[in-house]
Every structure is written in C-alpha cells, then in structure tokens.
C-alpha cells in the first residue's frame, strides 16, 4: 500500500496516545468497573431472565459496586434502566469472558475459565483495548435484548453520534423529552460506555420520582476527541478510495467487518503504546464428531428426539426433521443459533446461495457449530407458512453408536402441513 493511501495520526494525536498511563491511571473507570462485575459472578453463575439479561434482583448490588452508582426512582428497574450495567454486560458477552449456561431450568451467566485466565494475564493497556475492541468490533445490540437485525452494528451508532456532536465539544439537554434522539443514537448504554472509557463526561438530570437515567450535559474529553476522531478519519479515508483498485489495496470494507476495521485502525497508534503486546485468547471449539441427541419441538405437545452424527450436514438434518414430522420438503428453510457472544448465526437452504451471505446447509456440518448441552437452535421452514421448530441439544457427543441419523422417540401427533386440521 502506498504511503499516501495509508491513514496517519497527527503529531498531537500521537502525543496523547503516548501520554496515557493505562496501568496506574487509565482513562475513565472502565477497568475498575469491569473487574467489579467479574468479581460478583461466582462459580455458580449469576441468574438471568428468560431473555438472558441480568435478573432484576441482582442489578442494584452490581450498581452499588460500580465507581459511580446510578440513583433510580422507578418502580421496575430492568437491566436497560441501568445504562452502565447494560454496557458492562454487553462487553462481558462480546469479549467471550461471559457465557450463557442454558442446561438448567433458568439460564445462568458464567465466566469461561480459559478466557478469564487469559484476561487476568493482560496488563492495563491490553485490557483497555480488549474491551474497546469487543465494543467497537464485535458487539451488537442483540446481545442486550434488541431484535436481531442482519448487518447492524454498534460502531455505526457511535461514529454517527460523534460526527453530529457539536463542534464546541459540549451538548446540553434542557428538558427530559429533548433526550429522545440520544436514547437511540447512540443509545444510553453507549453514552454510559463512552463515559466509562473516558471519552465523554456525562452529567445527568437530578433524580425524580418515576424518572430514570437521563443525560443533562455531555462534554467530549480530549481523549475522546483523539480516539473517536482518529477512527472517524480512518473510516473516511478508506471510503474516499473510490476506485476498485484502491479498495482492493485496503483489502476490506471497514464497516462491513468492524472487527477487521478495528485491527487496521489500531495499527496506526499501537506503536505508541509499547505495553500493548498481548491479545485476549478465545479458544475455538474444534469439530465435535458426535453423535448428538436433539429434541425437536413443534408446539408444546409435539416433539421428536433425533440422534445424528457430527459429520452430517445441516441439509441432512433438515430432511430428517421434516421426515420425522411427515412434512414435504418443497419449501426453503433457515437454521439459526446464538454464538458464544450472543450473536445470531444463520445457516440457509442451499437454494438460497445466490441471495444469501450466510453459510449454506449443504456446507455446514452439525459438529462444526459450538454445540453445548441445553443450547437451542431455531429451524424456520416455509417462509410463507412460517413453521417454527425449536431444536434443543440434549446430549452433545452422546455415548451412542450410530452411522446415520435416527429417530429415538416420538411424542404427539404432527400437525397437517397443508390444511387446518386440529392444530
């Protein structure tokens, strides 16, 4: 890549990067508050709601252990009412340190021992940028309960907020209703994270009965101007390469792949942070040969139990499910599951190859995905009639001897695929 095509920092930006003391006085309180959350999760795990958010009876304890507790005067205080906790939970999941255990009746938030060990081996600078990378590179609003939206990422929200921020570096919200746009762009949890990372100073409105956390005044810090400004300039520089050859020199679309974008951007300033040497290590789960036992439900009273080898493709699994419920195979389908970070991954029917960016059912094997006991997989068949099957992994790598998929148990009469019947 030619030097003219590369993104470069200004001397002032370089000086501020060099001046940061991440070990003794890191920007903001993010490292202290993230550690406080980790310390509150014991070996038994932290109870979650059915939608996999922190149970309400645990939120105030977490809040009081943070650097700047929030005072709320609301009758009900779900996780989203605490923007600071909402943001920290987002980071916990997006780093891979926090994982969801669904084997019991209620989901639990637990810490992955190997990823936690890796985290504890990092120094202050490495921890700070690990969290920033998880936030800007991997996090999605789906992790904190928003509806799944393909291609949506948090980086768009943050950079849009920065580009529209007043040139004075300050913004005042005079009345509670004037905060409406901030609730969605960048969203309150992102405002809280901007403050936790030391990028923004947030003063909130005084507590009042029935009122939650509402920002009153925002001020961009010098560190925020440098970090957000350099990333915004990096993105703009990339998109100014209008010719196909220039884009190919960059090698990627920076907003299509935020994680890769973060890596490219960080190369511009990483030499000025010599203590940033290591990265958080997230182990990859290898191929699981199986066989695996799944319970496939269609409604509350109709289910089938199927065992299938790990080397079987999802196309074979789909055919087995449809046969087990006496359905024809004449419609498209899609499998979906949550990865360890809480993001939805889809596997599409082979016939969708020209219209889908997802992996295809004829290419993905059952043992390729990160199966754990209790994990749920969605199977949507027939995009018109919307037959929604729930697949639950009951026994991963079961002690069975089978060479091909096999129905182990049946319960309840399957509905009529066409017609109205009694379903």
């Amino acid at each position: 890549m030619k030097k003219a095509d590369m993104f470069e920092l200004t001397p002032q930006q370089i000086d501020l990067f060099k001046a940061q003391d991440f070990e003794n006085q890191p920007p903001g309180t993010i490292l202290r508050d993230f550690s406080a959350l980790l310390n509150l999760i014991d070996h038994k795990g932290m109870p979650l709601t059915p939608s996999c958010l922190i149970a309400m009876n645990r939120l105030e304890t977490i809040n009081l252990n943070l650097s700047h507790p929030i005072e709320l005067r609301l009758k009900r205080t779900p996780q989203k009412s605490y923007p600071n906790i909402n943001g920290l939970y987002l980071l916990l999941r997006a780093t891979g340190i926090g994982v969801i255990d669904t084997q019991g009746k209620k989901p639990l938030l637990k810490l992955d021992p190997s990823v936690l060990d890796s985290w504890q081996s990092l120094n202050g600078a490495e921890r700070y940028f690990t969290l920033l990378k998880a936030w800007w590179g991997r996090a999605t609003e789906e992790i904190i309960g928003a509806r799944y939206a393909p291609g949506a990422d948090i980086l768009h929200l943050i950079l849009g907020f920065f580009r529209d921020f007043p040139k004075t570096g300050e913004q005042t919200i005079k009345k509670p209703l004037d905060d409406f746009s901030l609730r969605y762009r960048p969203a309150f949890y992102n405002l809280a994270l901007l403050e936790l990372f030391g990028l923004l100073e947030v003063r909130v409105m005084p507590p009042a009965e029935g009122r939650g956390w509402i920002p009153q005044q925002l001020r961009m810090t010098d560190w925020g101007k440098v970090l957000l400004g350099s990333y915004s300039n990096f993105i703009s520089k990339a998109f100014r390469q209008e010719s196909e050859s220039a884009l190919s020199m960059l090698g990627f679309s920076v907003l299509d792949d935020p994680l890769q974008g973060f890596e490219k951007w960080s190369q511009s300033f990483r030499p000025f942070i010599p203590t940033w040497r290591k990265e958080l290590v997230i182990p990859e789960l290898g191929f699981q040969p199986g066989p695996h036992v799944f319970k496939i439900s269609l409604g509350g009273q109709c289910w089938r139990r199927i065992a299938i080898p790990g080397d079987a493709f999802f196309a074979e699994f789909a055919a087995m499910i449809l046969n087990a419920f006496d359905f024809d195979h004449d419609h498209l389908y899609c499998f979906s599951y949550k990865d360890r970070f809480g993001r939805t991954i889809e596997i599409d029917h082979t016939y969708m190859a020209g219209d889908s960016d997802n992996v295809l059912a004829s290419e993905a094997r059952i043992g390729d995905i990160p199966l754990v006991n209790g994990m749920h997989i969605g199977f949507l068949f027939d995009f018109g009639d919307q037959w929604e099957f729930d697949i639950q992994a009951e026994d991963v790598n079961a002690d069975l001897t089978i060479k091909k998929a096999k129905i182990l148990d049946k319960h309840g009469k399957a509905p009529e695929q066409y017609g109205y019947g009694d379903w």
Side-chain angles (χ1 to χ4, degrees), residues 54-63 77-79 82 85:
I54 298 173
M56 281 196 287
N57 62 0
R58 297 299 180 98
L59 292 169
E60 187 56 21
T61 299
I62 299 172
N63 181 47
T77 54
Q79 181 176 305
Y82 293 92
I85 299 176

Side-chain angles (χ1 to χ4, degrees), residues 1 6-9 14 17 129 133 230-231 234 249-250 252 259-273 276 279:
M1 188 185 299
M6 296 177 65
F7 169 73
E8 294 182 345
L9 295 170
I14 291 173
F17 275 109
F129 287 103
K133 178 181 178 179
S230 64
Y231 207 151
F234 166 73
M249 282 192 293
L250 284 170
F252 70 105
L259 197 59
Q260 193 175 6
F262 186 95
E263 295 288 355
K264 293 281 186 178
W265 165 68
S266 65
Q267 290 173 11
S268 65
F269 63 84
R270 191 161 176 167
F272 310 114
I273 307 175
W276 183 5
E279 300 288 338

Side-chain angles (χ1 to χ4, degrees), residues 324-335:
F325 287 87
D326 300 315
F327 274 31
D328 292 335
H329 299 202
D330 53 353
H331 295 283
L332 299 178
Y333 58 75
C334 174
F335 290 93

Side-chain angles (χ1 to χ4, degrees), residues 34-106:
F34 190 76
S35 293
L37 178 58
L38 291 178
N39 291 336
L40 289 171
I41 305 172
D42 59 29
H43 69 282
K44 295 180 181 178
M46 181 175 287
L48 299 178
T49 66
S51 56
C52 293
L53 299 177
I54 298 173
M56 281 196 287
N57 62 0
R58 297 299 180 98
L59 292 169
E60 187 56 21
T61 299
I62 299 172
N63 181 47
L64 293 174
N65 278 271
L66 301 182
S67 302
H68 304 292
I70 292 173
E71 183 179 352
L72 299 176
R73 297 185 182 178
L74 301 170
K75 292 183 178 179
R76 285 179 54 82
T77 54
Q79 181 176 305
K80 68 178 181 180
S81 296
Y82 293 92
N84 51 356
I85 299 176
N86 214 18
L88 289 168
Y89 178 78
L90 178 80
L91 297 183
L92 185 63
R93 298 296 315 283
T95 55
I97 300 174
V99 293
I100 306 298
D101 183 349
T102 58
Q103 293 189 63
K105 292 183 178 180
K106 295 182 179 180

Side-chain angles (χ1 to χ4, degrees), residues 110-411:
K110 292 188 174 182
L111 303 180
D112 184 302
S114 62
V115 186
L116 182 61
D117 285 345
S118 177
W119 166 262
Q120 291 171 339
S121 73
L122 303 179
N123 61 39
E126 292 161 348
R127 290 184 178 188
Y128 185 92
F129 287 103
T130 288
L131 296 179
L132 191 69
K133 178 181 178 179
W135 181 25
W136 290 3
R138 189 182 292 119
T140 67
E141 290 193 307
E142 184 186 7
I143 296 173
I144 50 175
R147 186 183 295 273
Y148 170 58
D153 62 76
I154 286 170
L155 186 58
H156 286 85
L157 297 174
I158 296 169
L159 292 182
F161 165 75
F162 174 75
R163 288 166 180 162
D164 294 341
F165 201 76
K167 301 303 179 185
T168 60
E170 294 187 3
Q171 182 176 352
T172 301
I173 297 91
K174 297 180 179 179
K175 297 180 297 183
L177 291 179
D178 291 343
D179 74 315
F180 183 79
S181 63
L182 293 174
R183 290 179 181 270
Y184 303 98
R185 190 186 186 201
F188 282 177
Y189 70 90
N190 280 322
L191 286 179
L193 282 174
L194 285 166
E195 182 175 39
L196 289 173
F197 276 93
L199 309 177
L200 194 70
E201 292 178 358
V202 181
R203 189 174 74 189
V204 299
M205 293 186 179
E209 202 64 32
R211 179 191 294 174
W213 187 90
I214 298 178
Q216 185 175 50
Q217 189 171 40
L218 310 175
R219 190 186 75 81
M220 194 73 63
T221 66
D222 290 340
W223 177 237
K225 292 173 185 176
V226 167
L227 214 63
L228 290 163
S230 64
Y231 207 151
S232 181
N233 292 340
F234 166 73
I235 297 294
S236 298
K237 177 73 173 179
F239 275 103
R240 281 201 298 269
Q241 314 303 315
E242 295 179 348
S243 70
E244 184 177 346
S245 60
L247 284 174
S248 64
M249 282 192 293
L250 284 170
F252 70 105
S253 174
V254 289
L255 284 184
D256 286 346
D257 189 343
L259 197 59
Q260 193 175 6
F262 186 95
E263 295 288 355
K264 293 281 186 178
W265 165 68
S266 65
Q267 290 173 11
S268 65
F269 63 84
R270 191 161 176 167
F272 310 114
I273 307 175
T275 56
W276 183 5
R277 297 181 293 268
K278 294 167 58 178
E279 300 288 338
L280 185 72
V281 177
I282 304 174
E284 293 187 8
L285 186 65
F287 176 77
Q288 300 188 91
H292 310 301
V293 177
F294 297 96
K295 181 181 179 181
I296 300 96
S297 303
L298 184 59
Q301 301 301 317
C302 181
W303 54 265
R304 306 288 185 261
R305 183 170 284 114
I306 293 175
I308 188 168
D311 59 3
F313 289 91
F314 272 87
E316 300 172 59
F317 195 20
M320 190 67 184
I321 293 171
L322 297 175
N323 289 339
F325 287 87
D326 300 315
F327 274 31
D328 292 335
H329 299 202
D330 53 353
H331 295 283
L332 299 178
Y333 58 75
C334 174
F335 290 93
S336 61
Y337 67 93
K338 295 287 185 70
D339 67 7
R340 67 174 297 145
F341 306 107
R343 305 172 302 183
T344 295
I345 307 297
E346 295 185 338
I347 300 172
D348 288 337
H349 193 294
T350 304
Y351 290 171
M352 297 168 64
D355 302 312
S356 172
D357 294 327
N358 300 318
V359 66
L360 302 179
S362 57
E363 300 170 344
R365 298 176 299 175
I366 307 296
D368 288 330
I369 71 170
L371 285 172
V372 293
N373 289 341
M375 175 177 171
H376 287 265
I377 302 172
F379 178 56
L380 176 61
F381 175 69
D382 187 346
F383 299 160
D385 286 344
Q386 299 275 310
W387 290 103
E388 296 184 17
F389 298 78
D390 176 68
I391 304 169
Q392 184 175 20
E394 290 190 330
D395 195 352
V396 175
N397 293 318
D399 186 17
L400 293 174
T401 302
I402 60 170
K403 294 183 178 180
K404 59 181 181 179
K406 180 180 181 181
I407 298 176
L408 302 179
D409 199 3
K410 291 185 176 183
H411 185 274

